[in-house]
Amino acid sequence: MKPCHSCQAVIDEYLLDKQLEPLRDLTVDDFNVCADCVTIVADACVECGNAVYVPRGKSATPDYCPACRSDLIEQTGHDPGWNRDLPSV
């Protein structure tokens, strides 16, 4: 069992896996935080409509889930970050 990078608590893999269910193809092995240090926001990804995760202490909800962000990096060759840039008016 690994410690959480945020609070150093031992990661409860069962709880985190349950919380990560809405995130496409991700498991507890893809994270280094415990279930108490992350919030899952359903239906927030602008690409696929799946959930995104927000580490504790962060106020902004990402626009891209980790899977879509990874897909965009592979397709375009650059990292869009977690939030998309809105077109200027």
Side-chain angles (χ1 to χ4, degrees):
M1 297 187 98
K2 299 183 225 174
C4 173
H5 280 227
S6 180
C7 70
Q8 299 304 310
V10 174
I11 297 172
D12 184 325
E13 293 180 7
Y14 177 78
L15 286 177
L16 187 56
D17 271 338
K18 285 294 182 192
Q19 192 169 346
L20 296 175
E21 280 180 19
L23 296 171
R24 278 189 342 208
D25 302 324
L26 297 177
T27 68
V28 69
D29 293 329
D30 298 306
F31 292 83
N32 288 319
V33 294
C34 66
D36 292 334
C37 289
V38 70
T39 301
I40 304 300
V41 180
D43 308 323
C45 181
V46 297
E47 288 287 317
C48 68
N50 284 333
V52 299
Y53 76 95
V54 183
R56 184 178 7 167
K58 302 290 183 186
S59 58
T61 299
D63 293 317
Y64 300 108
C65 70
C68 286
R69 181 181 180 200
S70 176
D71 290 347
L72 288 169
I73 292 170
E74 286 180 19
Q75 291 170 7
T76 65
H78 79 281
D79 184 353
W82 292 109
N83 296 296
R84 66 181 171 173
D85 292 328
L86 297 175
S88 38
V89 179

